[in-house]
Amino acid sequence: MDICKIHKNASKCSVNTMECFMVLSTQAQKISIATLCGLFGTLCIFENFLVLYLIFSSPGTRRKPSYLFISSLALADILASIIFVCSFVNFHVFNETDFSKEMFLLQLGGVNTSFSASLSSLLLTALDRYISISRPSEYKLLMTRKRAWIALGVLWVTCATIASLPLLGWNCCTLDSTCSKLFPFVDDNYLSSWICFIMVLLGCIIYAYAHVLWRARQHVAYMEKHQVQVGKQNTRMRMDVMLAKTLVMVLTVLVLCWSPVLVLMIYSIFATLSNHLRKVFAFCSTLCLLNSMVNPIIYALRSKELYSSLRMVFSRFRRQLKAPEESPEAESTHKSSMIET
């Protein structure tokens, strides 16, 4: 019998009704979810920490607004991975319900803040490329480090404020309104508003990237037509085209990973979800971790500055491994063994 039917007469804000949202019924499903979360989460944290290290260990990259926005994206992905994996696995795999409504909404707010900040950081990166290509002569005046930090501060405060609204009172328990079919205690109107916020961000990113690609294509055509001219302008164009293509790859992965989740969220507002669709939603949620895991790989492969920094890190690591073998103690031991022989 469906456990949600058992609790249909219970209060919709009771902690016991959270069992209705534990849709993984078999051990195989729980093991699959735990494996995916563990694999994607671990790789995501390691890769994004590596990206942050590569950016801030090099004076050339940490001073550029473009890489400040990428750092914000990496930080948001790290926080999202930690909070999402811990709360998601505890809830769906270990069926942990020994916490209050406020604690659950706090965890959900942390996940929403991190993922919203990740998407917003991608928007700032798109706007940065938009300004760089559309107004290259004024880019350094318009996009300064101070303005970049202010934009990042506004970004994180806005995302945290929107994500904390359910905890502050915009939930179906306080308002006695319709609860979401996917998230406990979440008001359907809030979920609709959050989806609209995410869709607006995606629309702005797509528009900015469409313009960036259009200008990048113009730059490519210009460089092919004037191959004789070599200088800072052409170098700048090549950098813009390279970074534009990189960010489009990031956006493509983002849309592919987030589309199933958003579609099911929208569908849940207008229709009743079956247990099968809610299981599909649980598995599709892990695609958000996959997106956070793939982004640093794209940076390392497409960004020449980060790739060269990564090669330097690996070369230093190899030298440190070889150092003990070439140390004076090792040489004296080797000589003494030769004498004894």
Side-chain angles (χ1 to χ4, degrees):
M1 183 181 295
D2 189 355
I3 196 169
C4 290
K5 294 181 180 179
I6 297 176
H7 293 291
K8 67 180 180 180
N9 295 323
S11 172
K12 61 184 177 182
C13 293
S14 172
V15 177
N16 293 332
T17 59
M18 294 180 66
E19 298 175 5
C20 300
F21 298 88
M22 298 176 181
V23 294
L24 303 182
S25 55
T26 65
Q27 194 68 19
Q29 293 174 354
K30 295 181 179 181
I31 293 175
S32 300
I33 284 288
T35 302
L36 291 175
C37 289
L39 178 62
F40 293 161
T42 302
L43 290 176
C44 176
I45 294 172
F46 171 76
E47 292 169 0
N48 283 286
F49 264 122
L50 182 60
V51 169
L52 289 177
Y53 173 77
L54 294 177
I55 290 175
F56 287 98
S57 62
S58 173
T61 55
R62 67 169 176 258
R63 294 174 183 171
K64 295 182 179 180
S66 301
Y67 288 103
L68 288 179
F69 299 146
I70 293 177
S71 301
S72 175
L73 178 61
L75 177 61
D77 286 338
I78 290 174
L79 295 177
S81 300
I82 295 174
I83 301 173
F84 177 83
V85 170
C86 293
S87 59
F88 196 77
V89 171
N90 281 337
F91 186 80
H92 284 289
V93 178
F94 298 109
N95 301 135
E96 183 66 40
T97 59
D98 190 20
F99 48 83
S100 62
K101 175 195 70 176
E102 289 74 17
M103 180 58 64
F104 177 84
L105 292 177
L106 180 62
Q107 293 177 358
L108 184 62
V111 174
N112 287 345
T113 299
S114 303
F115 281 128
S116 300
S118 176
L119 189 58
S120 301
S121 299
L122 195 56
L123 174 60
L124 288 182
T125 310
L127 294 177
D128 175 74
R129 289 300 92 201
Y130 178 89
I131 297 173
S132 175
I133 286 186
S134 61
R135 306 173 71 175
S137 59
E138 305 174 21
Y139 173 76
K140 290 187 177 180
L141 295 177
L142 295 175
M143 191 58 65
T144 61
R145 279 176 53 84
K146 182 179 180 180
R147 290 182 178 178
W149 281 111
I150 292 175
L152 289 176
V154 172
L155 178 157
W156 280 91
V157 170
T158 302
C159 292
T161 301
I162 294 175
S164 61
L165 289 178
L167 184 62
L168 297 177
W170 192 356
N171 56 73
C172 59
C173 303
T174 303
L175 302 177
D176 194 23
S177 55
T178 305
C179 291
S180 169
K181 290 87 174 177
L182 292 174
F183 306 101
F185 315 125
V186 174
D187 180 68
D188 254 348
N189 292 326
Y190 171 79
L191 183 61
S192 303
S193 302
W194 187 82
I195 292 173
C196 291
F197 171 65
I198 296 298
M199 297 299 289
V200 169
L201 289 180
L202 282 174
C204 293
I205 293 173
I206 292 173
Y207 173 79
Y209 278 142
H211 183 82
V212 167
L213 283 181
W214 176 65
R215 294 301 296 265
R217 187 174 181 180
Q218 286 185 329
H219 286 183
V220 171
Y222 176 86
M223 287 186 291
E224 291 177 351
K225 186 177 180 180
H226 303 81
Q227 291 182 355
V228 181
Q229 297 182 4
V230 179
K232 292 185 178 180
Q233 185 67 19
N234 281 353
T235 303
R236 180 70 184 179
M237 288 179 181
R238 292 189 183 94
M239 291 175 61
D240 289 339
V241 171
M242 186 71 175
L243 192 51
K245 292 179 179 179
T246 299
L247 298 178
V248 166
M249 292 174 62
V250 174
L251 178 61
T252 303
V253 173
L254 178 75
V255 172
L256 291 176
C257 291
W258 275 86
S259 294
V261 173
L262 291 176
V263 168
L264 288 173
M265 284 183 182
I266 295 173
Y267 181 75
S268 70
I269 296 173
F270 300 101
T272 302
L273 291 179
S274 63
N275 281 342
H276 175 71
L277 284 179
R278 292 197 291 170
K279 290 178 183 179
V280 172
F281 178 79
F283 279 92
C284 288
S285 299
T286 60
L287 292 177
C288 302
L289 283 178
L290 178 63
N291 168 66
S292 300
M293 184 192 74
V294 171
N295 285 345
I297 298 176
I298 298 176
Y299 302 148
L301 293 179
R302 299 287 297 178
S303 173
K304 291 184 177 180
E305 292 174 296
L306 291 183
Y307 184 71
S308 60
S309 299
L310 182 62
R311 292 184 61 183
M312 291 177 60
V313 169
F314 280 128
S315 62
R316 287 201 301 265
F317 182 71
R318 285 197 299 266
R319 285 198 299 268
Q320 290 177 357
L321 290 179
K322 293 180 180 179
E325 299 178 359
E326 300 174 357
S327 61
E329 291 83 359
E331 292 181 0
S332 62
T333 304
H334 177 69
K335 289 181 181 179
S336 61
S337 62
M338 290 291 292
I339 293 173
E340 292 176 357
T341 303

